[in-house]
Amino acid sequence: MSSKTLEKLTVAKFGGTSVADFQAMQRCVKIIKNDPATRLVVVSASSGVTNSLVRLGQENVSSEERADTLANIRKIQFNIIEHLTNQATFTDEIETLLSLLNQAAEQQAQQYSAKNADEILSFGERMSSMLFAQVMRMEGLPGVSFDVRQVMKTNSLYGKAVVDIEELKVNCANLLQEKLTDQVVVTQGFIGQDGLGCTTTLGRGGSDYSAALLAEALNADNLAVWTDVVGIYTTDPRITSHARPIKEISFGEAAEMATFGAKILHPATLIPAMRHNIPVFVGSSKEPEKGGTYIQKQVESRPTYRSIALRREQTLVTVKSPAMLHASGFLAKVFSILAKHELSVDLITTSEISVALTFDNPPGSTQAQLTDQVIKELGQLSQVKVENGLSLVAVIGNNLHNAQGTTSTIFNTIEDSSVRMICQGASKHNLCFLVNENQANGVVEQLHQRLFA
């Protein structure tokens, strides 16, 4: 069968909870069967595995903790294997991978390296994709596991590698496209390979981004992201029971939500989809019959308020110097330091003699985003103040910069809360501010009651 006969292509991505165990994988296979256009499946590591791998990739892990962590990973994999046919074959393959993982973890304990941390983190997806392909075959779907590192080439920025998009397109055309015509291909999210042949990762949550890049490279018609919730909600349902699912949302709104804390999508996921206008569906692999959220260029309604996102673990850095007053080039010096350390700023506000910057410091990171060296170099320019224990609240919507009464409505609602920083105007889709972590849930709940009641 020629690749030209593949009339439609859906790329499906299944997250960690969707491939957590054998029964979860079976549910995913049913979803694939219900959409014959699904020919490429991108999987995360089984739930719980990545957290263990993150720990193995860090410094100062004792031999006892390493053994316990490896035992936990083994248990998760073998709880799946015990339901498979050809158990002996997959037992041998998983044991081989676990042995390689143990070697990498021992080496990491002796001498930390970011390159080795990426190698360690890759094992979760490598194991889950292999097992998922077998579950598909058992359920009557012809399928094969494919090593995404053959096509996903990156630079050597370990921990947050950058993909060579043009090379990915060429590689997909040469190595992957034809495989999709008569079988379902299962591959790994999150990982790639640099020019030295070393494994890289695209950053925590990069499986969504991997799927979007592959969808773009293969000119897919749709990207389906299957997770553990029924689409995207007006806010995190764990914060308020009044949160409700959103039927459809524009690319711009969804991008703001992902950027400012919504856990459903990796922030970079929508960029490839927007470039090629590929509709994205987000739904629950546990309850696919309940539908989900469609993210696309055109939507029927564009309400003023669409959602409220919350991002925890924020660091606020204030750089203050009288030298800024009527001086040129000061901000350039600040950002040159940040660029040298490859740090990305989320929000920024300025006054005549100070600039305030926020940095994301997500839990599970193997390396601190804002190091003592960065603070030291900034301190050579001016006085530096670092504040932790903050959360970023983002009100997402449409034309918020022009909507009458938006600012007063929001801040009158939370007048009893301490707001540390406000940022509005850079985007018509959001209004952002920082609050103390211990006030964050209450602020979101109050705002949701006011804006979405």
Side-chain angles (χ1 to χ4, degrees):
M1 185 182 294
S2 168
S3 60
K4 294 182 180 179
T5 64
L6 190 61
E7 294 182 0
K8 280 200 169 185
L9 173 62
T10 296
V11 175
K13 182 264 176 178
F14 294 98
T17 55
S18 297
V19 294
D21 52 37
F22 179 76
Q23 291 74 23
M25 289 185 175
Q26 281 185 311
R27 289 194 294 268
C28 295
V29 174
K30 288 181 181 178
I31 290 171
I32 297 168
K33 283 184 173 181
N34 286 335
D35 181 10
T38 300
R39 295 301 183 90
L40 181 63
V41 174
V42 179
V43 296
S44 297
S46 296
S47 183
V49 171
T50 297
N51 286 337
S52 294
L53 293 173
V54 166
R55 184 61 189 131
L56 289 177
Q58 294 173 333
E59 298 179 84
N60 303 321
V61 179
S62 68
S63 58
E64 292 80 12
E65 184 179 2
R66 184 169 67 250
D68 289 344
T69 304
L70 286 165
N72 180 59
I73 295 172
R74 174 180 278 103
K75 180 180 179 181
I76 294 172
Q77 306 307 319
F78 276 87
N79 282 343
I80 299 171
I81 290 175
E82 68 181 14
H83 296 280
L84 303 181
T85 55
N86 297 332
Q87 287 187 25
T89 298
F90 290 98
T91 295
D92 289 344
E93 292 189 14
I94 292 296
E95 287 290 6
T96 298
L97 288 175
L98 288 171
S99 177
L100 292 172
L101 172 58
N102 182 51
Q103 293 174 27
E106 287 181 346
Q107 181 180 343
Q108 191 75 334
Q110 295 169 7
Q111 184 175 4
Y112 175 88
S113 81
K115 180 175 73 173
N116 199 33
D118 273 11
E119 178 70 22
I120 289 170
L121 286 171
S122 74
F123 280 92
E125 279 75 10
R126 289 157 67 182
M127 290 186 285
S128 65
S129 58
M130 179 197 308
L131 299 178
F132 189 90
Q134 176 62 8
V135 175
M136 280 200 319
R137 291 189 288 266
M138 288 175 58
E139 297 293 322
L141 271 180
V144 62
S145 179
F146 177 81
D147 190 338
V148 78
R149 292 173 295 182
Q150 295 182 58
V151 297
M152 193 76 70
K153 303 301 180 180
T154 74
N155 63 8
S156 298
L157 186 57
Y158 302 108
K160 45 184 176 180
V162 178
V163 177
D164 187 325
I165 295 172
E166 292 305 315
E167 188 173 2
L168 174 62
K169 291 179 181 178
V170 172
N171 291 341
C172 282
N174 293 335
L175 301 173
L176 186 55
Q177 184 82 47
E178 192 169 348
K179 295 180 185 294
L180 305 177
T181 59
D182 55 4
Q183 62 190 341
V184 179
V185 175
V186 182
T187 195
Q188 309 81 30
F190 181 53
I191 66 175
Q193 186 181 72
D194 67 9
L196 302 174
C198 299
T199 298
T200 58
T201 68
L202 311 188
R204 191 91 187 258
S207 290
D208 289 344
Y209 183 45
S210 297
L213 286 173
L214 289 165
E216 178 185 35
L218 292 163
N219 294 312
D221 299 279
N222 294 284
L223 170 62
V225 178
W226 295 96
T227 179
D228 57 356
V229 294
V230 185
I232 299 173
Y233 281 69
T234 48
T235 196
D236 189 338
R238 293 169 298 183
I239 296 177
T240 173
S241 59
H242 297 292
R244 56 180 185 260
I246 301 170
K247 183 179 179 180
E248 64 171 6
I249 188 171
S250 70
F251 279 131
E253 293 169 302
E256 296 285 356
M257 287 185 68
T259 298
F260 290 111
K263 302 295 184 183
I264 306 303
L265 291 174
H266 185 271
T269 302
L270 293 170
I271 297 173
M274 292 170 71
R275 281 196 297 250
H276 274 62
N277 195 21
I278 301 172
V280 180
F281 172 79
V282 180
S284 168
S285 62
K286 294 179 180 179
E287 302 174 296
E289 71 281 356
K290 291 189 175 181
T293 302
Y294 289 90
I295 307 169
Q296 47 206 10
K297 186 176 182 180
Q298 300 295 332
V299 293
E300 291 185 5
S301 65
R302 292 181 179 271
T304 301
Y305 304 112
R306 180 73 85 178
S307 65
I308 304 170
L310 175 65
R311 184 194 281 178
R312 305 186 192 275
E313 300 289 338
Q314 299 298 291
T315 298
L316 175 63
V317 177
T318 305
V319 181
K320 183 178 180 181
S321 174
M324 284 184 64
L325 188 62
H326 304 308
S328 61
F330 184 84
L331 285 178
K333 292 176 183 178
V334 170
F335 281 96
S336 67
I337 293 173
L338 301 179
K340 182 176 73 171
H341 292 277
E342 297 175 331
L343 286 173
S344 175
V345 175
D346 287 329
L347 302 181
I348 175 172
T349 61
T350 63
S351 71
E352 287 187 326
I353 63 168
S354 68
V355 55
L357 314 161
T358 68
F359 298 88
D360 194 23
N361 189 30
S365 298
T366 56
Q367 296 172 282
Q369 298 297 302
L370 195 67
T371 63
D372 291 340
Q373 181 61 32
V374 176
I375 302 301
K376 180 180 178 182
E377 292 181 29
L378 289 173
Q380 292 173 352
L381 294 178
S382 57
Q383 178 184 341
V384 179
K385 181 180 180 181
V386 179
E387 298 175 64
N388 294 302
L390 299 170
S391 289
L392 187 155
V393 178
V395 178
I396 311 296
N398 291 278
N399 297 313
L400 291 178
H401 59 321
N402 288 330
Q404 187 173 5
T406 294
T407 303
S408 59
T409 297
I410 291 172
F411 291 108
N412 285 343
T413 302
I414 59 168
E415 60 183 356
D416 293 332
S417 302
S418 175
V419 176
R420 287 292 297 110
M421 178 182 182
I422 301 171
C423 191
Q424 183 186 21
S427 167
K428 64 182 180 180
H429 290 300
N430 76 66
L431 186 156
C432 303
F433 54 93
L434 290 178
V435 295
N436 292 327
E437 172 62 32
N438 58 9
Q439 295 180 316
N441 282 13
V443 166
V444 171
E445 195 167 10
Q446 284 179 291
L447 283 174
H448 192 276
Q449 177 65 26
R450 177 67 178 85
L451 304 180
F452 295 96

